[in-house]
Amino acid sequence: MITTRTVENRVSFATQKFKEIFGSPSTFTASAPGRVNLIGEHTDYNDGYVFPVAIDKYLNIAARQRSDRYVTLHALDVKDSYEFSLSSLPSTEQAPAWSHYLLGVASLLQASGKRISGIDAVITGDVPIGAGLSSSAALSVSAALTFLTASSEDLSPESPPKPEIDNKELAALCQQVEHEFAGVNCGIMDQTISLLGREDQALFLDCRSLEHEHIPLNLKAHHIAICNTKVKRELAASEYNKRRAECERGVDILKQWLPGISALRDISLTDFKKYEDELPALTQKRCRYVIEENTRVLEAVSALKTRHSQTAEKTDESLIQFGRLMDVSHNGLRDDYEVSCTELDLLTDLARSIEGVIGSRMTGAGFGGCTVNIVHEDALETFRTLVTTEYYKQIGIEPEIYLCNVSDGAQVFWNSESSS
Ligand code: GLA
């Protein structure tokens, strides 16, 4: 299994690379994590509920303010560099794909009336790219923090900048970057958890009001294991947008009988059952999945909460219930929402065949990417061996398995060398 770098290591790596490339120290490093969603998939853009955690994999940007309006970027992990002027932003056609997120952040911050400074920056991280763990949200969140920090008037470790923008606004801005600069009509989950994640706690988020609650996981002898299929379907973005459109279509049709609704979140299962036959077959399946998934998140959160106030015996029952809901969630994503794929299904089937695996499901948008599994510590070795061997046998690819430490959200770290 892959172990991850400590906070000091991850920040110092970016800092050291900055110094090597630019010849003098960076001022700070903005660091934002990827995420894994435990349950509540494809519910965020339906105004529903999600339950993600931030993982100990981060995108780090070591940076320094420039006195002019240029932005000089070195993206170490894709071995590419790019420079542009904030005074006349290039179009995305002219710029490499990875830089679109930074261009998007700069463009939207400027459009909101903020005067931002030029920067020198080195970008590096360990969130696997395109694996469904939100590497792009981690990039736009760290980019936004970088621009805001570099542009604050008093840049010193004694008075850390307080960005004149709150987390809700920041998450919405980064979501807009995905819509306008990456062509994905995503919801608000990934950006929010990247900003608000907390060590050992999951985030129960209402994606309509953005009200949230941090829930201690207290998994004790269990671990969150992430399995990366190492495949990504080309159609992922267009299929994602199609799913969103199908849900909106369902709401439009159902409004005839349920005039008060504005999203699938507003429909109870009982009401849905009354009117589901009015929907075209495909729309019906998509809507059913989302409505059931919203209910599952509420049940899963309540199972975890019960766990903390019960005896040891009861404790396990609640976790088993949580795992069962994860399994059912995967089945819905596979059969009704149709965003799973052979590789994800194989990984969940293999995981579920092992005693000590409490729950297993695909996580994120789907069409490749990762599964998330709750595994008892005594089953970890079997899990690793069986999943790796069988997946390789059937797919011809070695999957990656990460043991995930539930971690803190985005932060800015000062480089002490810069003030000495
Ligand atoms: C992607 C999107 C999120 C969410 C998930 C599916 O990660 O960015 O907004 O819709 O897919 O739950």
Side-chain angles (χ1 to χ4, degrees):
M1 307 217 182
I2 293 174
T3 51
T4 49
R5 285 181 267 169
T6 62
V7 169
E8 294 73 25
N9 280 347
R10 90 174 115 96
V11 174
S12 66
F13 182 72
T15 308
Q16 176 202 326
K17 287 289 164 191
F18 185 99
K19 198 172 172 186
E20 276 171 37
I21 293 170
F22 290 102
S24 48
S26 55
T27 316
F28 65 88
T29 297
S31 184
R35 64 95 190 91
V36 71
N37 188 19
L38 299 179
I39 193 158
E41 220 64 79
H42 289 275
T43 43
D44 60 352
Y45 53 81
N46 289 299
D47 278 1
Y49 305 105
V50 292
F51 198 51
V53 300
I55 60 175
D56 55 348
K57 292 191 172 292
Y58 288 80
L59 201 292
N60 308 299
I61 305 185
R64 179 177 64 194
Q65 184 189 54
R66 282 174 67 115
S67 53
D68 61 19
R69 305 218 70 221
Y70 277 89
V71 173
T72 307
L73 306 169
H74 293 274
L76 303 187
D77 308 322
V78 291
K79 297 186 178 58
D80 199 11
S81 300
Y82 188 61
E83 185 175 85
F84 61 87
S85 163
L86 289 169
S87 305
S88 68
L89 291 177
S91 70
T92 46
E93 289 85 57
Q94 295 168 288
W98 59 267
S99 72
H100 294 178
Y101 297 94
L102 292 111
L103 270 178
V105 166
S107 162
L108 295 178
L109 282 173
Q110 296 200 124
S112 75
K114 294 218 169 349
R115 168 131 188 118
I116 52 173
S117 318
I119 53 167
D120 288 328
V122 162
I123 307 168
T124 179
D126 59 359
V127 189
I129 297 171
L133 299 177
S134 285
S135 56
S136 61
L139 179 54
S140 41
V141 167
S142 54
L145 288 177
T146 299
F147 279 115
L148 289 167
T149 305
S151 310
S152 51
E153 307 230 312
D154 182 12
L155 250 191
S156 80
E158 285 75 40
S159 60
K162 290 186 195 67
E164 293 158 28
I165 181 166
D166 68 19
N167 281 329
K168 275 188 192 175
E169 260 183 89
L170 207 52
L173 181 130
C174 294
Q175 178 192 25
Q176 207 184 336
V177 169
E178 290 280 351
H179 291 190
E180 293 178 18
F181 291 80
V184 180
N185 294 330
C186 67
I188 195 76
M189 167 172 71
D190 303 346
Q191 297 76 11
T192 307
I193 183 64
S194 187
L195 282 159
L196 298 187
R198 271 197 206 156
E199 194 176 332
D200 295 331
Q201 300 186 12
L203 185 77
F204 174 40
L205 174 69
D206 176 334
C207 298
R208 171 173 280 164
S209 65
L210 298 187
E211 270 171 31
H212 56 267
E213 188 181 347
H214 287 94
I215 313 262
L217 281 169
N218 203 8
L219 290 174
K220 295 185 182 134
H222 293 85
H223 294 265
I224 298 176
I226 301 171
C227 290
N228 187 349
T229 58
K230 300 249 215 71
V231 299
K232 188 186 178 208
R233 298 280 172 269
E234 280 314 309
L235 282 175
S238 61
E239 284 298 319
Y240 182 94
N241 293 344
K242 260 198 224 165
R243 293 299 179 284
R244 184 169 182 156
E246 282 157 1
C247 293
E248 285 162 4
R249 180 161 183 231
V251 172
D252 278 346
I253 300 174
L254 291 172
K255 263 186 189 154
Q256 295 173 61
W257 299 277
L258 302 166
I261 63 170
S262 62
L264 288 179
R265 140 77 176 275
D266 300 314
I267 307 176
S268 68
L269 259 179
T270 321
D271 274 347
F272 183 70
K273 284 193 177 126
K274 273 193 220 152
Y275 303 111
E276 63 180 341
D277 292 336
E278 309 291 343
L279 297 171
L282 198 64
T283 314
Q284 188 186 116
K285 284 209 302 187
R286 307 298 193 237
C287 294
R288 179 184 312 121
Y289 160 76
V290 172
I291 293 167
E292 288 176 349
E293 181 77 349
N294 266 328
T295 316
R296 278 190 287 270
V297 181
L298 299 178
E299 284 173 24
V301 170
S302 121
L304 266 200
K305 282 184 163 174
T306 321
R307 192 161 187 250
H308 300 126
S309 51
Q310 298 285 346
T311 60
E313 205 183 313
K314 187 78 184 164
T315 295
D316 281 333
E317 254 175 52
S318 302
L319 195 60
I320 287 167
Q321 162 74 347
F322 188 88
R324 220 179 271 133
L325 291 162
M326 288 174 72
D327 288 350
V328 182
S329 163
H330 181 83
N331 300 347
L333 288 157
R334 182 191 61 205
D335 304 333
D336 282 344
Y337 217 62
E338 297 181 279
V339 291
S340 188
C341 60
T342 316
E343 293 85 351
L344 286 166
D345 293 342
L346 176 60
L347 284 181
T348 52
D349 285 347
L350 292 170
R352 290 172 189 181
S353 73
I354 300 164
E355 199 181 331
V357 175
I358 302 284
S360 177
R361 59 184 288 278
M362 57 152 273
T363 185
F367 311 104
C370 292
T371 62
V372 56
N373 310 270
I374 310 279
V375 187
H376 191 276
E377 61 191 7
D378 294 345
L380 278 176
E381 198 43 42
T382 315
F383 179 81
R384 192 186 64 78
T385 319
L386 187 120
V387 167
T388 310
T389 321
E390 277 306 310
Y391 187 81
Y392 184 75
K393 230 191 251 169
Q394 299 191 39
I395 309 288
I397 299 174
E398 266 204 31
E400 243 160 13
I401 301 177
Y402 321 108
L403 271 200
C404 151
N405 294 311
V406 173
S407 300
D408 284 329
Q411 271 169 282
V412 175
F413 298 96
W414 290 95
N415 181 4
S416 50
E417 210 191 337
S418 72
S419 51
S420 56

